[in-house]
Amino acid sequence: MSKIHVTTTVNGDATEFLCDPRETLLDCLRNQLDLTGAKEGCGTGDCGACSVILDGTLVCSCLVLGVEAQGKKVETIEGMASSDGLHPLQRQFIEHAALQCGICTPGILVAAKNLLETNPDPSETEIRYWLAGNLCRCTGYDKIVRAVQAAAAEMRETA
């Protein structure tokens, strides 16, 4: 089967890659672009470990074909930190010990970033609802929620 040329923007950079029409966006990110932050946990869209933002919408990249990124903007965990340092969410996850094995962490961080871009002052219930698509077998979620609350407060102060 012939490969398809895809032109997209990934983490603010114009990017091109060739992919099989049946290849997932997750596989394209990992295998074509060497962006290995998003993880394949389940391959069925149930765990959220592969979460990325596609044109402003949080998606499980294991459920999106790579060709669907054509002309769109993709944001991954690799694009969260800046030259100035870690994103407030990343810093707060470290400060609140909101991670353990790390498999789910990139997807949760991307989902939390999308939440805070949508709602800069979410309640605990809203945070838990928004992150419900991201499964974690290690932390119990409380530290994650506290880290997101702290990052939201920090981001509101600097806005």
Side-chain angles (χ1 to χ4, degrees):
M1 181 169 280
S2 65
K3 297 209 175 217
I4 295 176
H5 180 253
V6 176
T7 303
T8 186
T9 301
V10 179
N11 298 324
D13 296 326
T15 305
E16 299 179 49
F17 59 87
L18 294 173
C19 69
D20 181 297
R22 300 166 296 183
E23 196 171 4
T24 66
L25 178 57
L26 174 62
D27 287 339
C28 291
L29 291 169
R30 293 180 61 81
N31 302 331
Q32 307 296 328
L33 302 176
D34 293 322
L35 297 173
T36 58
K39 309 293 186 229
E40 181 168 359
C42 66
T44 58
D46 294 317
C47 74
C50 66
S51 295
V52 300
I53 301 169
L54 183 63
D55 270 355
T57 301
L58 185 66
V59 299
C60 289
S61 61
C62 72
L63 297 180
V64 176
L65 294 173
V67 296
E68 292 181 82
Q70 172 62 38
K72 295 184 179 172
K73 178 180 165 186
V74 180
E75 297 173 61
T76 70
I77 187 67
E78 288 87 354
M80 275 188 79
S82 69
S83 59
D84 296 332
L86 294 177
H87 187 280
L89 279 162
Q90 292 170 309
R91 273 197 321 279
Q92 293 298 337
F93 265 59
I94 293 167
E95 289 180 26
H96 285 80
L99 54 111
Q100 287 183 17
C101 82
I103 296 295
C104 68
T105 305
I108 290 174
L109 283 166
V110 168
K113 179 179 182 277
N114 189 244
L115 166 63
L116 297 183
E117 288 171 350
T118 306
N119 178 359
D121 191 13
S123 67
E124 179 178 339
T125 300
E126 289 169 322
I127 293 169
R128 288 182 184 277
Y129 179 79
W130 194 274
L131 297 180
N134 296 84
L135 302 179
C136 175
R137 296 182 65 175
C138 301
T139 65
Y141 301 99
D142 287 333
K143 291 179 180 180
I144 293 169
V145 171
R146 302 296 169 254
V148 173
Q149 289 173 319
E154 178 182 336
M155 292 168 69
R156 285 191 310 273
E157 288 175 12
T158 59

Coordinates of all heavy atoms in Angstrom, one line a residue, residues 9-13 29 34-38 51-53 73-90 106 109-110 113 117:
T9 N 1.1 20.7 11.6 CA 1.9 21.5 12.6 C 1.9 20.7 13.9 O 0.9 20.4 14.4 CB 1.3 22.9 12.8 OG1 1.3 23.6 11.6 CG2 2.1 23.7 13.8
V10 N 3.1 20.4 14.4 CA 3.2 19.7 15.6 C 4.0 20.5 16.6 O 5.2 20.9 16.3 CB 3.9 18.3 15.4 CG1 4.1 17.6 16.8 CG2 3.2 17.5 14.4
N11 N 3.4 20.8 17.7 CA 4.0 21.7 18.8 C 4.5 23.0 18.2 O 5.6 23.4 18.6 CB 5.1 20.9 19.5 CG 4.5 19.7 20.2 OD1 3.4 19.7 20.7 ND2 5.3 18.6 20.2
G12 N 3.8 23.6 17.3 CA 4.1 24.9 16.7 C 5.1 24.8 15.6 O 5.3 25.9 14.9
D13 N 5.6 23.7 15.2 CA 6.5 23.5 14.1 C 5.8 22.9 12.9 O 5.2 21.8 13.0 CB 7.7 22.7 14.5 CG 8.6 23.3 15.6 OD1 8.7 24.6 15.6 OD2 9.1 22.6 16.4
L29 N 3.3 9.7 15.4 CA 4.1 10.6 16.3 C 5.3 9.8 16.8 O 6.4 10.4 16.8 CB 3.2 11.0 17.4 CG 2.1 12.0 17.1 CD1 1.1 12.2 18.3 CD2 2.6 13.4 16.7
D34 N 9.5 10.6 16.0 CA 10.3 10.4 17.3 C 9.7 11.1 18.5 O 10.5 11.5 19.4 CB 11.8 10.6 17.0 CG 12.4 9.7 16.1 OD1 12.0 8.5 16.1 OD2 13.2 10.1 15.3
L35 N 8.5 11.4 18.5 CA 7.8 12.0 19.7 C 7.2 10.9 20.5 O 6.1 10.4 20.2 CB 6.8 13.0 19.3 CG 7.3 14.2 18.5 CD1 6.2 15.1 17.9 CD2 8.3 15.0 19.3
T36 N 7.9 10.4 21.5 CA 7.5 9.2 22.2 C 6.9 9.4 23.5 O 6.7 8.5 24.3 CB 8.8 8.3 22.4 OG1 9.7 9.0 23.1 CG2 9.3 7.8 21.1
G37 N 6.5 10.7 23.8 CA 5.8 11.0 25.1 C 4.5 10.4 25.2 O 4.2 9.8 26.3
A38 N 3.7 10.4 24.2 CA 2.4 9.8 24.2 C 2.6 8.2 24.2 O 3.4 7.7 23.4 CB 1.5 10.2 23.0
S51 N -3.2 10.6 24.9 CA -3.9 11.9 24.7 C -3.0 13.0 24.1 O -1.9 13.2 24.5 CB -4.5 12.4 26.0 OG -5.5 11.5 26.5
V52 N -3.5 13.6 23.0 CA -2.9 14.8 22.4 C -4.0 15.8 22.1 O -5.2 15.4 22.2 CB -2.2 14.4 21.1 CG1 -1.0 13.5 21.4 CG2 -3.1 13.9 20.0
I53 N -3.7 17.0 21.8 CA -4.7 18.0 21.4 C -4.6 18.2 19.9 O -3.5 18.4 19.3 CB -4.4 19.3 22.1 CG1 -4.5 19.1 23.6 CG2 -5.4 20.4 21.7 CD1 -4.0 20.3 24.5
K73 N -3.4 21.2 13.6 CA -2.4 21.5 14.6 C -2.5 20.4 15.7 O -3.5 20.2 16.2 CB -2.8 22.9 15.2 CG -1.9 23.4 16.3 CD -2.4 24.7 16.8 CE -1.8 25.1 18.2 NZ -2.3 26.3 18.7
V74 N -1.3 19.8 15.9 CA -1.2 18.8 16.9 C -0.3 19.3 18.1 O 0.8 19.8 17.8 CB -0.6 17.5 16.3 CG1 -0.5 16.4 17.4 CG2 -1.3 17.0 15.1
E75 N -0.8 19.1 19.3 CA 0.0 19.4 20.5 C 0.2 18.2 21.3 O -0.7 17.5 21.6 CB -0.7 20.5 21.3 CG -0.9 21.8 20.6 CD -1.8 22.7 21.4 OE1 -1.3 23.1 22.5 OE2 -2.9 23.1 21.0
T76 N 1.5 17.9 21.7 CA 1.8 16.7 22.4 C 2.5 17.2 23.7 O 2.8 18.3 23.9 CB 2.8 15.8 21.7 OG1 4.1 16.4 21.6 CG2 2.3 15.5 20.3
I77 N 2.8 16.2 24.6 CA 3.5 16.5 25.8 C 4.9 17.1 25.6 O 5.3 18.0 26.3 CB 3.7 15.2 26.7 CG1 4.3 15.5 28.1 CG2 4.5 14.2 26.0 CD1 3.3 16.3 28.9
E78 N 5.5 16.8 24.5 CA 6.8 17.4 24.2 C 6.7 18.9 23.9 O 7.8 19.6 24.1 CB 7.4 16.7 22.9 CG 7.9 15.3 23.1 CD 6.8 14.2 22.9 OE1 5.7 14.6 22.7 OE2 7.2 13.0 23.0
G79 N 5.6 19.4 23.6 CA 5.4 20.8 23.4 C 5.0 21.6 24.6 O 4.8 22.8 24.5
M80 N 4.8 21.0 25.8 CA 4.4 21.7 27.0 C 5.4 22.6 27.6 O 5.1 23.8 27.9 CB 3.9 20.7 28.0 CG 2.4 20.3 27.8 SD 1.8 19.4 29.2 CE 1.4 20.7 30.4
A81 N 6.6 22.1 27.8 CA 7.7 22.9 28.4 C 8.1 24.0 27.3 O 8.0 23.7 26.1 CB 8.8 22.1 28.8
S82 N 8.6 25.1 27.8 CA 9.2 26.1 26.9 C 10.6 26.3 27.2 O 11.2 25.7 28.1 CB 8.4 27.4 27.0 OG 8.7 28.0 28.3
S83 N 11.2 27.2 26.4 CA 12.6 27.5 26.7 C 12.8 28.2 28.1 O 13.9 28.2 28.6 CB 13.2 28.4 25.6 OG 12.4 29.6 25.5
D84 N 11.7 28.7 28.6 CA 11.7 29.3 29.9 C 11.7 28.3 31.1 O 11.9 28.6 32.2 CB 10.6 30.3 30.1 CG 10.7 31.5 29.1 OD1 11.8 31.8 28.8 OD2 9.6 32.0 28.8
G85 N 11.3 27.1 30.7 CA 11.3 26.0 31.7 C 10.0 25.2 31.6 O 9.3 25.3 30.6
L86 N 9.7 24.4 32.7 CA 8.5 23.6 32.7 C 7.2 24.4 32.7 O 7.2 25.5 33.3 CB 8.6 22.6 33.9 CG 9.7 21.6 34.0 CD1 9.7 20.8 35.3 CD2 9.7 20.7 32.8
H87 N 6.2 23.8 32.2 CA 4.9 24.3 32.2 C 4.4 24.3 33.7 O 4.9 23.3 34.4 CB 3.9 23.5 31.4 CG 2.6 24.0 31.2 ND1 1.6 23.9 32.2 CD2 2.0 24.7 30.2 CE1 0.5 24.5 31.8 NE2 0.7 25.0 30.6
P88 N 3.6 25.2 34.2 CA 3.1 25.1 35.6 C 2.5 23.8 36.0 O 2.8 23.3 37.1 CB 2.1 26.2 35.7 CG 2.5 27.2 34.6 CD 3.1 26.4 33.5
L89 N 1.8 23.1 35.0 CA 1.3 21.8 35.3 C 2.4 20.8 35.6 O 2.4 20.0 36.6 CB 0.4 21.3 34.2 CG -1.0 21.8 34.2 CD1 -1.6 21.6 32.8 CD2 -1.8 21.1 35.2
Q90 N 3.5 20.8 34.8 CA 4.6 19.9 35.0 C 5.3 20.2 36.3 O 5.6 19.2 37.1 CB 5.6 20.0 33.8 CG 5.0 19.6 32.5 CD 5.9 19.9 31.4 OE1 6.3 21.1 31.2 NE2 6.2 18.9 30.5
P106 N 2.0 11.7 30.8 CA 1.9 12.6 29.6 C 0.5 12.8 29.2 O 0.1 14.0 28.9 CB 2.7 11.9 28.5 CG 3.7 11.0 29.3 CD 2.9 10.5 30.5
L109 N -1.3 15.1 31.7 CA -0.8 16.5 31.6 C -1.4 17.2 30.4 O -1.8 18.4 30.5 CB 0.7 16.5 31.5 CG 1.5 16.3 32.9 CD1 2.9 16.0 32.6 CD2 1.3 17.5 33.8
V110 N -1.4 16.5 29.3 CA -2.0 17.1 28.0 C -3.5 17.4 28.3 O -4.0 18.4 27.9 CB -1.8 16.2 26.8 CG1 -2.6 16.6 25.6 CG2 -0.3 16.2 26.4
K113 N -3.9 20.3 30.6 CA -3.6 21.6 29.9 C -4.8 22.0 29.1 O -5.2 23.2 29.1 CB -2.4 21.4 29.0 CG -2.0 22.6 28.2 CD -0.7 22.3 27.4 CE -0.3 23.5 26.6 NZ -1.0 23.7 25.3
E117 N -7.0 25.5 29.5 CA -7.2 26.4 28.4 C -8.6 26.7 28.2 O -9.0 27.8 27.7 CB -6.5 25.9 27.1 CG -5.0 25.9 27.2 CD -4.4 25.1 26.0 OE1 -5.1 24.4 25.3 OE2 -3.1 25.2 25.9

